[in-house]
Amino acid sequence: MSQVSLLPHSTPEAQGVPAGAISAFVSAVEREIDALHSFMLLRHGHVIAEGWWDPYRATDQHILFSLSKSFTSTAIGLLVAESKLSIDTPVLEFFPEDAPPTPSANLQAMRVRDLLSMATGHALDTTEPMTTHPSGNWVRGFLAQPVEHAPGTHFVYNSGATYMLSAIVQTITGGRMIEYLKPRLFAPLGIANPRWESSPQGIDVGGWGLMITTANIAAFGQLYLQRGNWRGQQLIPASWIDTATASQVANPNEPNIDWRQGYGYQFWRCRHGAYRGDGAFGQYCIVMPEQDVVLAITAGLGDMQPPLNLVWEHLLPAMADAPLPEDPAAQADLTNTLAHLQLRTPQGSPSSPTATRVSGKHFSLVENSAQISEICFDFEATETLIRIHNNHGDQQIGCGHQQWVRRLALLGPFDGSTYPIRPRPIEQCRIGASGAWVDPQTYSVKMWWHEMPFARTLTCHFEGDQLIISQQNHVGFGPIELSQLHGKIENA
């Protein structure tokens, strides 16, 4: 059961959904998609199904990437409700000291509503030039970019625009946006200890970087489904919810069909009258008002359209207007399926003659970008322990066979480049790992970072006293294939 007691639970049939349809959705996900990390399905305000694919857990906070934008939009809506902000205010009014010496007419015309609707007038996303501006000031970097189109006329997905919304919140409130949202949004919804990455100027990045649990995402979606009302308290004006989730700008050039249904205020419109917030690699908060449904998903996907296709194929048609007869057999099958969800592990043998020969031996590595100087494999009966020494000290990763072992390790023990925009501070996080011998001389390891959608496969080939480790990312903003690591047994 989830960690959020504010969301009641129910059988699917009691809320008009066959348990068998949910099982069919999960089976299709496992057959066609690699990999969902979690999902939580709500109907009529009740959790009717929830599951986490091992090594992910209900208690794990998961980075939302651009799903964070919908929370930033909410902060703007709250400021409007408090009469502290008008979305028709020109953006430059908030940052006179960071404006270029001679602002263009289009930049002068850009309003807060243009930031909200991704219709700032820019031809390209401003995020990279904003975050790499020579001044180091992201606001100044955003305002320095050319504005080729009249604001309000041209959709371009633009995380820099969302950062500017966060900067406006901080300018008005005098503190970080996450602090502004805690008493107004997070605390009422039971969202404990949210984390949000900030810029070098101490401003929450807005367009990405928020970390909360799957149940927290579901609660946020339920709040929007209820048009801002939560347990009898109107947290957000219903009028703002209606406006933010309606289509504010056309986006017919988006490649995927559920991305070209129109864009609201940091929300995407979907087919079938639905809308959603979403983030890179498969973080979703899907709201289906016509069916009174919320679906929260976290994932590590290269293509974000297939999960939505499966929702429309398996879940949407199965939703009845009234309760259905209870189906104990189907419910038991669904409960069993959800209790045993597991991401695919490397397939192969649990042992090899090579394991006996190299177990416990220390391999010195040739200088590499990961700054790993030494690695050692302890091949035990139930778990393989990989011991690493790099510029951050000693670390250990435990690998199960056909199962995942969770351990604390430093973020990016092999390479910290999986995270976008700028390196995160080195910190401990949980890694789930599993391994198998794919041939007598080659041990394959897969590692998932629990707070992220990222995984890495290490293919460790042992030949005499030599070791070659090939590295491949599952998904990422950068290269999928990474540089090999080369080593040799010490004192061989």
Side-chain angles (χ1 to χ4, degrees):
M1 185 172 289
S2 75
Q3 301 299 303
V4 176
S5 60
L6 298 181
L7 297 173
H9 286 63
S10 170
T11 64
E13 279 77 10
Q15 306 305 324
V17 183
I22 302 173
S23 292
F25 168 74
V26 174
S27 295
V29 163
E30 296 216 296
R31 183 175 61 251
E32 301 176 26
I33 297 175
D34 184 23
L36 253 61
H37 298 162
S38 70
F39 83 101
M40 182 176 286
L41 179 63
L42 279 62
R43 182 96 198 271
H44 304 322
H46 292 75
V47 179
I48 60 172
E50 57 185 340
W52 286 262
W53 277 260
D54 193 32
Y56 289 84
R57 301 283 192 272
T59 54
D60 289 338
Q61 289 187 328
H62 200 289
I63 195 158
L64 303 190
F65 288 111
S66 286
L67 176 49
S68 308
K69 292 178 168 67
S70 301
F71 291 81
T72 302
S73 170
T74 303
I76 294 293
L78 290 169
L79 285 173
V80 171
E82 295 170 4
S83 300
K84 296 178 179 177
L85 172 66
S86 166
I87 61 173
D88 288 316
T89 304
V91 173
L92 285 177
E93 284 193 15
F94 298 100
F95 311 105
E97 296 181 358
D98 293 313
T102 54
S104 68
N106 282 343
L107 178 58
Q108 293 180 63
M110 189 189 301
R111 301 161 298 169
V112 175
R113 69 166 64 245
D114 301 318
L115 300 175
L116 284 164
S117 61
M118 300 292 190
T120 57
H122 293 100
L124 299 171
D125 182 5
T126 62
T127 307
E128 183 174 357
M130 175 187 78
T131 57
T132 58
H133 191 262
S135 70
N137 181 321
W138 289 13
V139 167
R140 190 170 301 166
F142 176 90
L143 298 175
Q145 304 312 307
V147 184
E148 295 89 346
H149 305 275
T153 66
H154 184 75
F155 174 83
V156 166
Y157 195 68
N158 186 349
S159 292
T162 320
Y163 175 74
M164 294 299 288
L165 293 172
S166 178
I168 288 170
V169 173
Q170 186 150 327
T171 297
I172 293 172
T173 67
R176 291 178 59 190
M177 182 168 60
I178 194 171
E179 298 302 324
Y180 175 73
L181 286 175
K182 279 180 179 177
R184 295 167 175 83
L185 179 72
F186 295 135
L189 297 186
I191 299 176
N193 303 314
R195 293 182 286 162
W196 211 320
E197 186 180 358
S198 60
S199 72
Q201 287 71 49
I203 299 170
D204 293 323
V205 294
W208 67 96
L210 179 61
M211 301 183 73
I212 56 177
T213 68
T214 309
N216 298 158
I217 298 170
F220 178 72
Q222 188 64 32
L223 173 68
Y224 265 73
L225 180 63
Q226 294 168 181
R227 299 180 67 228
N229 190 280
W230 189 259
R231 298 170 67 87
Q233 181 183 2
Q234 195 70 34
L235 300 183
I236 308 166
S239 58
W240 177 263
I241 300 281
D242 295 342
T243 301
T245 60
S247 178
Q248 297 294 334
V249 61
N251 53 0
N253 297 322
E254 290 296 305
N256 290 332
I257 188 168
D258 277 300
W259 275 258
R260 55 176 181 261
Q261 303 300 312
Y263 194 77
Y265 289 164
Q266 311 287 294
F267 286 89
W268 297 89
R269 295 295 304 179
C270 306
R271 289 175 288 171
H272 308 292
Y275 63 87
R276 72 187 186 281
D278 72 32
F281 310 115
Q283 327 316 315
Y284 306 84
C285 181
I286 304 165
V287 180
M288 303 163 64
E290 295 175 15
Q291 293 76 28
D292 200 24
V293 165
V294 171
L295 177 59
I297 293 174
T298 63
L301 307 172
D303 184 353
M304 289 177 60
Q305 182 65 56
L308 292 174
N309 294 341
L310 295 182
V311 171
W312 311 142
E313 178 183 352
H314 295 282
L315 296 179
L316 181 66
M319 294 174 184
D321 294 332
L324 301 172
E326 295 293 336
D327 189 340
Q331 292 170 8
D333 179 66
L334 176 60
T335 298
N336 181 66
T337 296
L338 297 178
H340 296 92
L341 295 175
Q342 177 177 280
L343 293 179
R344 298 169 193 168
T345 58
Q347 298 301 296
S349 173
S351 188
S352 162
T354 302
T356 303
R357 181 175 63 83
V358 302
S359 185
K361 300 293 179 64
H362 291 258
F363 288 83
S364 295
L365 300 187
V366 175
E367 184 176 347
N368 54 81
S369 61
Q371 297 183 292
I372 300 174
S373 59
E374 187 178 286
I375 189 168
C376 177
F377 298 80
D378 292 324
F379 293 102
E380 305 293 342
T382 59
E383 179 181 333
T384 296
L385 187 64
I386 303 176
R387 293 182 283 139
I388 301 162
H389 183 81
N390 65 8
N391 60 318
H392 300 295
D394 295 319
Q395 301 177 64
Q396 295 183 350
I397 298 171
C399 303
H401 178 67
Q402 296 186 338
Q403 62 181 351
W404 299 96
V405 172
R406 288 168 55 111
R407 283 181 181 268
L408 279 173
L410 291 181
L411 179 66
F414 285 83
D415 181 354
S417 67
T418 54
Y419 198 76
I421 308 301
R422 64 184 181 89
R424 290 188 64 180
I426 293 297
E427 60 184 53
Q428 283 198 320
C429 67
R430 288 180 177 83
I431 291 177
S434 181
W437 289 92
V438 296
D439 66 45
Q441 294 175 288
T442 307
Y443 185 69
S444 178
V445 177
K446 190 161 191 176
M447 305 182 298
W448 284 98
W449 278 258
H450 294 184
E451 296 178 337
M452 297 187 178
F454 303 127
R456 181 162 304 170
T457 297
L458 308 176
T459 303
C460 309
H461 184 75
F462 300 88
E463 188 75 45
D465 62 355
Q466 302 291 317
L467 169 64
I468 299 176
I469 302 177
S470 300
Q471 304 183 82
Q472 184 180 55
N473 285 336
H474 178 64
V475 296
F477 291 93
I480 298 299
E481 298 288 341
L482 303 177
S483 59
Q484 289 185 333
L485 304 176
H486 295 260
K488 180 179 180 181
I489 294 177
E490 293 180 357
N491 304 318

